[in-house]
Amino acid sequence: MLLSEALQEFDLSLTGVVAPATQRWYISSVSRLIKSLGDRNIETISTSDLRRWRVSLLSRESRYATHPTRPEEEGKLSKYSVHNYLRGTFRFFSWLVEEGLLE
């Protein structure tokens, strides 16, 4: 299963279970991962891939590049932003295991 397909199923699983804002936040976090890694099969994602993604978040030199209302500006992401992206992605991979899609 591709990451994008798994994300669609994850989104469906959240509907009516979490607040809409929380659901959007989860989907946004995982979408950033997909943008970085590419739309790959979920079984090909390694711990090293996820670590490299974390490092790429920590080493970014600009913020708000894809924000709908804020202009992009120079500067690193806050540690809170990085933590939130990682939390959302962790929840997604936990769900994949719970659903039996990954070991």
Side-chain angles (χ1 to χ4, degrees), residues 1-15 23 27 92 95-96 99 101:
M1 175 180 281
L2 293 176
L3 276 168
S4 62
E5 296 167 337
L7 181 58
Q8 289 174 357
E9 291 299 315
F10 182 55
D11 190 24
L12 287 173
S13 76
L14 296 171
T15 301
Q23 185 173 355
I27 300 310
F92 173 67
W95 174 83
L96 289 172
E99 291 289 309
L101 298 169

Side-chain angles (χ1 to χ4, degrees), residues 61-92:
E61 296 295 330
S62 68
R63 301 181 288 231
Y64 312 119
T66 59
H67 196 278
T69 59
R70 293 186 75 161
E72 183 173 3
E73 61 184 50
E74 287 186 32
K76 297 201 175 281
L77 295 174
S78 76
K79 65 182 179 181
Y80 304 106
S81 293
V82 172
H83 177 75
N84 281 330
Y85 294 145
L86 297 176
R87 279 183 40 222
T89 301
F90 179 80
R91 178 65 189 106
F92 173 67

Side-chain angles (χ1 to χ4, degrees), residues 32-93:
R32 289 176 190 276
L33 173 72
I34 294 172
K35 187 175 180 179
S36 178
L37 296 181
D39 194 12
R40 299 168 30 187
N41 188 299
I42 58 174
E43 294 179 353
T44 67
I45 310 274
S46 68
T47 303
S48 293
D49 291 327
L50 297 173
R51 287 180 182 140
R52 280 192 288 279
W53 181 59
R54 181 190 66 212
V55 169
S56 75
L57 291 173
L58 291 166
S59 61
R60 283 183 47 185
E61 296 295 330
S62 68
R63 301 181 288 231
Y64 312 119
T66 59
H67 196 278
T69 59
R70 293 186 75 161
E72 183 173 3
E73 61 184 50
E74 287 186 32
K76 297 201 175 281
L77 295 174
S78 76
K79 65 182 179 181
Y80 304 106
S81 293
V82 172
H83 177 75
N84 281 330
Y85 294 145
L86 297 176
R87 279 183 40 222
T89 301
F90 179 80
R91 178 65 189 106
F92 173 67
F93 277 92

